[in-house]
Amino acid sequence: MPKLIVQIPDGEEVAYEFDEPLITIGRSAGNSIVIPHDSLSGTHTQLMLNPDGTYTLTDLGSTNGTFVNGEQVYEAVLPPYAQIVFGQVGASFYPIEPSAPSGITRRGFQLPELPGKARPANFVSVSPFPKNTKKKDLMAPMAAFLAILSILVSLGLLGAVFSTLQAS
């Protein structure tokens, strides 16, 4: 049964074994394999079983891309022992092990050492949104509250003026 061994930066190492014809991988709960890391898209990539027993990896328009053996790919047949990077998460793909049980299973696994950053040296984020490194401005909610309060007071004063004019 094929195996995907995932190493989350500064986190746990997990092995996923599977034999389904279509596996989705991403951060969202609806995926076959959920990898809880911010660098992955909700549904980042998929693996589809080919008739010859190999798997085709397809990037599903992820923000941070998918790399196989150091090269960015949008679709590629996975070679045995491929090194895959989803965002900042490294993984190793192992071919079929016939003695393994069927289904998707998850178990802890000691990974081989991956390169330090687990992303190619020439990686550039293509996200249109800059990374927010600032702390939240605590005065912004206060300013919004005061703006709403002043609008309400102004409306109240206008109502009082109109009711005074109608009474006379």
Side-chain angles (χ1 to χ4, degrees):
M1 171 179 311
K3 183 185 306 181
L4 189 66
I5 301 175
V6 178
Q7 181 175 9
I8 299 173
D10 301 324
E12 70 178 302
E13 301 166 348
V14 180
Y16 297 91
E17 297 174 338
F18 52 89
D19 66 353
E20 283 78 20
L22 180 66
I23 304 294
T24 57
I25 301 168
R27 193 177 68 236
S28 298
N31 290 294
S32 308
I33 296 176
V34 177
I35 302 173
H37 193 270
D38 290 340
S39 68
L40 270 74
S41 295
T43 303
H44 195 96
T45 191
Q46 72 179 18
L47 298 174
M48 184 175 292
L49 180 63
N50 298 318
D52 64 357
T54 61
Y55 277 87
T56 297
L57 178 143
T58 304
D59 183 273
L60 299 174
S62 66
T63 302
N64 292 320
T66 303
F67 297 79
V68 175
N69 293 334
E71 294 190 29
Q72 186 169 11
V73 298
Y74 300 98
E75 186 170 279
V77 175
L78 286 179
Y81 314 108
Q83 296 299 302
I84 306 168
V85 176
F86 312 106
Q88 296 176 3
V89 176
S92 298
F93 175 76
Y94 292 89
I96 296 172
E97 292 180 17
S99 62
S102 64
I104 293 179
T105 58
R106 176 181 183 222
R107 59 188 170 114
F109 192 86
Q110 184 65 33
L111 288 179
E113 286 294 317
L114 291 178
K117 278 197 154 191
R119 71 165 50 172
N122 62 350
F123 177 81
V124 177
S125 176
V126 295
S127 174
F129 303 106
K131 185 174 182 179
N132 185 4
T133 57
K134 293 186 206 175
K135 291 184 179 181
K136 288 187 177 182
D137 182 10
L138 298 177
M139 293 304 289
M142 179 65 85
F145 172 75
L146 290 175
I148 292 170
L149 183 63
S150 65
I151 290 170
L152 292 174
V153 168
S154 298
L155 290 174
L157 288 174
L158 282 174
V161 168
F162 282 125
S163 64
T164 304
L165 289 175
Q166 283 182 343
S168 8

